[in-house]
Amino acid sequence: MGDDTHGWTATPGAAERARSVLATAWSCAVTAEGTREELVGAHAVTDDGRVLLHVPEDSALLAAAICAPRGEPSAVLEFADVAPVPVRNRIRARLWLAGWFSVQDGHLLFQPTRVVLRQPSGAVVVDVDDFAAAEPDPLAGAEARLLTHLADCHADAIERLTRLVDTGSLHGAVRVQPLAVDRHGLTLRIERVRAGGDVRLPFHAPADSVGQLTERMHVLLSQAAAASCPRALQRQRADGDR
């Protein structure tokens, strides 16, 4: 298919994951100089991972930055990665950036000096240089639309994909929903009455566009169909013996 898979891994690295959270988050909490503000739709991200905050003129954060003795107050920014499909425990990851502010054209420019990413597997400190050099997952901007479409319109496809999941992981399952997708694979959330778990279905090659993702999904569905063939043949043979 012409894909260059050199250096490909089945899961995104921490720096790429952190940049994806930052790129898609719609809100953030900012703590600085004893002040905490919740901002919605007020930040942008530079190519090297710095955060530009658009705050009102009467913002306490802006006042703290202007009045700071050295003009660069320290701050912590917190971002949450929320699953677009309704599931229990929708927070898939949290990202904390510690650093300092400077005032730029009436806005606040935040320079990270420490990056911490917390996922269900645990927290990891991301190297600042790796964070600055990383790019968001190429599917991050389309993920919400893709997952909600899959959940709302293709429940049959989700059911077929569960044939690729170990039967033990499906024991007691009451619902299966798509939780996440990135260039490396699709993650399903298996919900039970009192607990749940996630299962990852890796792609055979990375998908760097929605078009490539469509092909990767078709491959997974074909694998699921092949996985069900032996059981289908057993049923056919059993019917033939009657």
Side-chain angles (χ1 to χ4, degrees):
M1 300 174 194
D3 291 317
D4 180 6
T5 59
H6 177 69
W8 173 62
T9 56
T11 58
E16 179 183 343
R17 184 76 181 93
R19 288 298 299 270
S20 296
V21 173
L22 183 60
T24 56
W26 180 242
S27 63
C28 69
V30 184
T31 304
E33 302 296 310
T35 298
R36 181 179 175 87
E37 291 191 20
E38 302 281 345
L39 302 176
V40 178
H43 73 274
V45 185
T46 66
D47 290 341
D48 59 1
R50 291 178 296 168
V51 181
L52 185 64
L53 292 178
H54 304 279
V55 296
E57 293 182 357
D58 60 351
S59 168
L61 294 173
L62 184 59
I66 294 174
C67 300
R70 291 179 296 177
E72 295 176 353
S74 60
V76 175
L77 275 58
E78 179 182 350
F79 301 86
D81 176 38
V82 183
V85 175
V87 293
R88 293 197 298 262
N89 302 319
R90 291 183 72 175
I91 304 296
R92 302 181 298 187
R94 291 189 183 274
L95 175 67
W96 287 275
L97 306 179
W100 46 266
F101 278 125
S102 61
V103 180
Q104 185 179 87
D105 299 327
H107 303 298
L108 294 176
L109 182 64
F110 180 80
Q111 175 65 57
T113 57
R114 182 177 173 83
V115 179
V116 178
L117 176 68
R118 177 179 288 278
Q119 302 183 96
S121 57
V124 59
V125 177
V126 181
D127 182 83
V128 175
D129 292 335
D130 291 344
F131 176 78
E135 295 183 357
D137 184 272
L139 300 178
E143 183 194 26
R145 172 175 57 83
L146 294 168
L147 290 182
T148 52
H149 177 74
L150 179 60
D152 294 342
C153 303
H154 297 286
D156 57 329
I158 298 173
E159 189 281 329
R160 288 200 301 273
L161 289 173
T162 61
R163 299 170 190 173
L164 298 175
V165 178
D166 180 80
T167 54
S169 299
L170 293 172
H171 180 71
V174 296
R175 186 173 70 158
V176 179
Q177 290 279 52
L179 178 71
V181 69
D182 54 59
R183 68 192 297 260
H184 306 290
L186 173 72
T187 300
L188 299 177
R189 167 66 55 82
I190 301 173
E191 293 187 338
R192 303 179 182 87
V193 174
R194 295 186 178 180
D198 300 335
V199 174
R200 187 167 177 82
L201 303 178
F203 298 142
H204 69 277
D208 293 326
S209 67
V210 174
Q212 290 185 354
L213 173 64
T214 300
E215 188 275 338
R216 305 303 187 261
M217 290 295 295
H218 284 163
V219 170
L220 284 181
L221 289 169
S222 296
Q223 292 171 347
S228 66
C229 280
R231 284 179 286 181
L233 289 174
Q234 290 173 3
R235 287 196 297 269
Q236 290 174 2
R237 290 168 181 168
D239 292 341
D241 291 339
R242 292 176 184 173

